[in-house]
Amino acid sequence: MNMQIQQAAMALKVARSTIALTGAGISVESGIPPFRGRGGLWEKIDPMKYAHIDAYERNPAEVWEVLFLGLIDVLGKAKSNDGHRGLVRLESMGRLQTIVTQNIDGLHQQAGSKDVIEFHGTFASMSCMTCGQATDSHQVSLEVLPPRCACGGVLRPDVVMFGEIIPLDHLQRAQMLASTCDAMLVVGTSATVEPAAYLPVIAKRSGATIIEINPEPTPLTDRISDITLLGEAGRVLRALVDAVKHILRD
Ligand code: APR
């Protein structure tokens, strides 16, 4: 692993611009379960039945009962971890510019990251499905489900549900950054959900070095990733930050 950490550190040193694509895996060490694999949320809850916009339009109260109440509870308790903090340190060393995250937990911002594209939205706010008014989730009472807007309309969390498209500004900016970066860190994603999973492919085709961090191989490993650091994000990013710090001093 140490050789690969050195290679990754060198790639980050020489890169004029680096972005990171992150997934649920970077928040596992904050106590938020991933979606897939052992202990994954979708092993217990069918995402097409409860995380699809059609399900929310059909029966929002049920989606709250089965999925969102549990999620909001776990997200409310979660604190950023060494993985998130490692990316903040790379940013402060000028070795990382932007994070494109699939996570809806806000932990990158909580750790101090400045430029975060929330590709799948956020649980931090909710919008009315009738008047469109947005409200901070902390101000929404969950005593009555589904929660309601002052206009009487049903509120929905500002997350991208299955069956919905990625907000165009986020999609365009993420694809532009992927096509112009010299290096991309891909941290804690199974790389199975499009269009996020295609961003490393865009970057690779544009000549970027792809550095993957995950305890398990993914469809990117050996196909798209140039360097694969097999391990948990917290530990690997601590080691990578140290290696970058040393290499910048040389
Ligand atoms: N550090 C790094 N990676 C980890 C860790 C860890 N400590 N623990 C698990 N992982 C890896 C797993 O091996 C897996 O490859 O994180 C990945 C999590 O994959 P998913 O659960 O599929 O999460 P993600 O890729 O973010 O899912 C994409 O799917 O369900 C939708 O909208 C949801 O944003 C989500 C999208």
Side-chain angles (χ1 to χ4, degrees):
M1 167 85 102
N2 190 32
M3 246 273 287
Q4 287 153 311
I5 290 269
Q6 295 309 320
Q7 275 174 349
M10 180 52 80
L12 295 181
K13 177 182 178 182
V14 299
R16 284 156 304 164
S17 75
T18 297
I19 69 170
L21 172 67
T22 66
I26 199 169
S27 295
V28 164
E29 294 153 70
S30 297
I32 304 177
F35 295 97
R36 295 169 189 82
R38 209 160 3 91
L41 187 60
W42 299 152
E43 292 202 333
K44 298 185 220 71
I45 296 171
D46 177 351
M48 290 307 131
K49 238 174 124 190
Y50 296 104
H52 194 288
I53 186 61
D54 295 352
Y56 198 78
E57 281 167 354
R58 213 176 24 249
N59 189 345
E62 186 185 40
V63 172
W64 274 96
E65 295 291 349
V66 173
L67 179 63
F68 288 159
L69 277 183
L71 256 180
I72 220 167
D73 182 51
V74 171
L75 297 183
K77 294 185 188 118
K79 296 275 176 280
S80 52
N81 65 60
D82 281 354
H84 303 103
R85 287 187 284 274
L87 295 180
V88 173
R89 291 186 60 201
L90 288 175
E91 189 184 329
S92 65
M93 291 193 270
R95 298 298 94 205
L96 176 65
Q97 280 67 47
T98 303
I99 297 172
V100 179
T101 188
Q102 298 167 85
N103 301 343
I104 57 175
D105 55 33
L107 293 183
H108 287 299
Q109 295 93 323
Q110 190 192 92
S113 290
K114 304 263 178 333
D115 188 11
V116 181
I117 299 175
E118 295 182 302
F119 207 65
H120 291 164
T122 175
F123 230 103
S125 60
M126 300 190 198
S127 294
C128 176
M129 298 174 85
T130 306
C131 74
Q133 173 74 36
T135 315
D136 183 321
S137 297
H138 293 299
Q139 284 154 15
V140 174
S141 156
L142 298 176
E143 262 155 45
V144 179
L145 295 174
R148 298 267 171 185
C149 172
C151 80
V154 171
L155 288 173
R156 43 119 353 127
D158 288 335
V159 297
V160 178
M161 296 185 217
F162 287 101
E164 295 191 298
I165 57 164
I166 305 293
L168 204 53
D169 54 341
H170 290 172
L171 182 65
Q172 286 174 337
R173 187 159 179 252
Q175 289 180 334
M176 184 278 292
L177 290 169
S179 64
T180 54
C181 68
D182 297 325
M184 178 185 276
L185 284 161
V186 182
V187 188
T189 180
S190 59
T192 52
V193 175
E194 304 289 354
Y198 197 64
L199 294 171
V201 179
I202 295 173
K204 176 80 176 190
R205 293 211 171 131
S206 316
T209 302
I210 311 299
I211 303 162
E212 189 181 10
I213 301 175
N214 196 313
E216 318 228 347
T218 72
L220 298 174
T221 313
D222 303 330
R223 212 171 51 83
I224 299 293
S225 303
D226 300 289
I227 304 168
T228 298
L229 307 173
L230 285 176
E232 298 191 341
R235 183 173 59 76
V236 173
L237 278 162
R238 272 199 311 274
L240 182 57
V241 166
D242 285 349
V244 171
K245 221 168 48 187
H246 280 103
I247 219 168
L248 287 181
R249 235 182 274 148
D250 292 351

